[in-house]
Amino acid sequence: MVGMPAADEYRRLSFWHETAPGTLEPGQPLPGDLDADVAIAGAGYTGLWTAYYLSRADPGLKIAVCERDIAGFGASGRNGGWCSALFPASLGKLERMAGRDAAIAMYRAMQATVDEVGRVTAAEGIDCHWAKGGTVQLARSATQLERAREEVAEARSFGFGEEDLRLLSAAEARDLAGASGVLGGTFTPHCAAIHPSRLARGLAEVVRRRGVSLFERTPVLRLSPGRLVTGTGMVRARYVIRATEGYTPAFPGLHRALAPVYSLMIATAPLPEEAWAEIGLAGRPTFSDLRHLIIYGQRTADGRLAFGGRGAPYHFGSAVRPSFDRVPAVFNALRRTLAELFPVLGDVKVTHGWGGPLGVPRDWCPSVGLDRSTGLGWAGGYVGDGVATTNLAGRTLAALITEADLITGTDSEITRLPWVGHRSPRWEPEPLRWLGANAGLQAMSWADREEAWSGRPSRAAQLASRFLGS
Ligand SMILES: Cc1cc2nc3c(=O)[nH]c(=O)nc-3n(C[C@H](O)[C@H](O)[C@H](O)COP(=O)(O)OP(=O)(O)OC[C@H]3O[C@@H](n4cnc5c(N)ncnc54)[C@H](O)[C@@H]3O)c2cc1C
């Protein structure tokens, strides 16, 4: 790709980048030193939603966002497009952290956030192919069915009803997603399928229109109280926000804050109507099954299947490199899994394969916060559930900043949610981090294989959750 125009290089990042409307030509970099009220590192959903809600709370604020590549370069432009109420920390875990009411409030806030994203994208004219068809999670073995029952029982014990999560019979599940070997499943309405890059690029355009200064091709070198330092100048600001998710470990002093774990995806060619007649997914519900090593898919607006999964290795020293985005063995495994789920796909053409890093905190609990004394703020650690969560993070950071400045119109209920101000422990130093994270990933895939032949819950899964802290 040497010598290729930047915009063409960015198009090749993923199916979503390739099909995003408008130019991917980078905007101007930071031209020199600048004074602002708020400086943000990273123009993924976290940085962009934060800028968006801040500019709404106070249109007079001077907000500068510095992005190393282009808006939506990272996970926000490449993900599975599940805008869902999923939160990586379970209700039980949140209850242990902060109490039952706080756990319930967190999950309710996530449900409301899905609708908030739908509302704002419609109001701002961002056509992100929004389809709120819910999520169907298939159970394709006795142990998966047992897990489906346990998930629904946990939801009930916290007061979430049929309208939030319900068990599906085999016939109901197959009606939604005509996969093989389906014994049952669960359904939640709290998810929309979206085109991720359209959301990221659309948001960037909206914040620019609102007067936010978005500097692209501007790598941030250091974040410190009152200062965001880049190669071409410094932004001096009362508030400095870190919104760099899986890329965070590259900052001095933060190499153990989050582990970048890769998720990879493939997209098929558009499928013929006869295939859709068998596969279903009418109304575009997102889908997965209840295996341990997560898989996720959506029917795209242009009639393809976009399908992904974890399983790529964690790289020593929390390294993040473009070459890690593409692992032919993982693409092949995804293709096989997809064909096994939907045999009608047979030898369907896979046209795209890509991937990217997500940020995993040691305790698998995302967090957002603002240190009022230093003005430093952060949000992240969403594991693989950031599409909606970043919106809640952006609203929360905006509320924390406006509360700190006593600007009127704050949304203080969200600033009391249990993830606000939460500090995850740091990851182990290397080589323990590399050994632990990869052993955990291996154990999850063993667990799936073992359960498939033994028909019983696997002990390897318990081992995996110990290593990965889930
Ligand atoms: C393949 C894949 C599939 C996924 N599927 C889903 C899904 O279906 N549903 C879901 O909810 N979540 C999913 N996720 C997770 C979700 O995409 C992320 O949680 C979310 O996009 C995080 O947004 P962010 O803005 O915090 O981070 P990012 O989008 O990663 O943005 C960080 C930005 O910071 C920039 N940056 C990094 N370092 C610097 C620096 N030094 N200076 C300046 N800028 C810098 C990067 O270029 C990037 O643009 C998936 C992730 C991946 C990778």
Side-chain angles (χ1 to χ4, degrees), residues 98-117:
R100 182 183 160 84
D101 290 349
I104 295 169
M106 187 76 228
Y107 271 51
R108 289 285 180 215
M110 285 300 305
Q111 294 174 352
T113 297
V114 175
D115 291 330
E116 169 73 5
V117 175

Side-chain angles (χ1 to χ4, degrees), residues 16 40-49 65-86 110 191-192 194 196 200 215 217-223 228-230 242-248 250-251 261-265 286 296-298 308-310 354-359 379-390 393:
W16 308 120
I40 300 172
Y45 301 143
T46 299
L48 295 170
W49 281 125
V65 183
C66 294
E67 160 61 45
R68 193 184 53 194
D69 283 279
I70 55 167
F73 168 85
S76 300
R78 316 179 189 188
N79 60 69
W82 287 38
C83 182
S84 82
L86 289 171
M110 285 300 305
C191 183
I194 62 153
F215 302 108
R217 289 269 172 131
T218 303
V220 176
L221 308 175
R222 268 191 327 278
L223 301 165
L228 179 154
V229 181
T230 80
R242 164 167 58 81
T244 47
E245 189 61 343
Y247 306 89
T248 300
F251 285 117
V261 167
Y262 275 75
S263 201
L264 268 54
M265 296 195 68
T286 57
Y296 49 89
Q298 70 149 291
R310 310 245 176 96
W354 70 95
L358 29 95
Y382 312 106
V383 191
D385 299 326
V387 174
T389 322
T390 46

